[in-house]
Amino acid sequence: MFSNETQENPLFELARQRRSVRRYTGEKVSDDVVREILKIALLAPSSWGRHPVEFVVIRDRDTIEAVARCKRMGAGPLPTADVAIVVMADTADCELWIEDAAVASTYILLAAEQFGVGACWIHMRNRQSQ
Ligand SMILES: Cc1cc2nc3c(=O)[nH]c(=O)nc-3n(C[C@H](O)[C@H](O)[C@H](O)COP(=O)(O)O)c2cc1C
């Protein structure tokens, strides 16, 4: 189980290959692929099964750039991405919403890797520029 077998495990390979991608090819990411990625993200576990996480898909260039400008550093790749998936959570009555959002975000990164889509986590919470 923990020897060579892991190298034939698709999930192991996916996790091993995934890397943050910050330079994009300009190739369009189809709505179908975005939908498949979100279907996987929706399967992420959440505290008490409350599923407080919501996703907002942004394709509009001005809006993506506006989101990128929300923080001073570290959002560099965002304006060049074809699509942004904003991961949000309903914080009311859900103490572990940060963890829930982080798990869902991780599912998104792995799903993107599986569909051959370069992706990078851009952290926003508590990083907004004044
Ligand atoms: C919680 C979290 C926040 C991150 N925030 C950013 C960010 O704001 N900007 C960025 O370019 N990368 C960000 N990353 C990506 C990390 O820099 C990256 O995962 C790390 O350097 C390891 O590289 P790898 O993803 O290629 O394995 C973040 C990753 C995590 C998990």
Side-chain angles (χ1 to χ4, degrees):
M1 178 60 192
F2 294 108
S3 59
N4 288 340
E5 276 181 56
T6 53
Q7 286 162 18
E8 291 159 20
N9 178 331
L11 184 54
F12 176 85
E13 278 306 310
L14 202 62
R16 191 180 64 80
Q17 282 174 26
R18 187 214 55 80
R19 283 290 169 276
S20 294
V21 174
R22 298 184 177 86
R23 284 185 190 188
Y24 304 108
T25 60
E27 199 178 323
K28 299 290 172 205
V29 183
S30 72
D31 287 339
D32 282 348
V33 165
V34 172
R35 203 171 295 115
E36 291 304 308
I37 289 171
L38 291 178
K39 274 161 66 179
I40 291 170
L42 286 167
L43 294 174
S46 68
S47 162
W48 292 89
R50 284 189 174 135
H51 295 285
V53 182
E54 297 175 10
F55 308 98
V56 177
V57 176
I58 309 178
R59 285 194 178 276
D60 176 67
R61 299 252 48 88
D62 290 346
T63 308
I64 291 178
E65 283 168 19
V67 172
R69 282 197 301 274
C70 285
K71 88 171 195 171
R72 233 186 306 272
M73 286 169 59
L78 198 47
T80 64
D82 183 51
V83 59
I85 300 176
V86 179
V87 180
M88 311 168 75
D90 181 355
T91 60
D93 194 31
C94 193
E95 191 199 353
L96 300 186
W97 64 271
I98 296 175
E99 288 82 355
D100 294 340
V103 173
S105 300
T106 304
Y107 272 46
I108 288 174
L109 292 179
L110 287 172
E113 175 68 26
Q114 193 186 36
F115 286 101
V117 174
C120 185
W121 180 318
I122 305 293
H123 185 81
M124 289 295 188
R125 189 183 60 84
N126 291 348
R127 295 286 184 277
Q128 293 89 339
S129 309
Q130 298 305 314

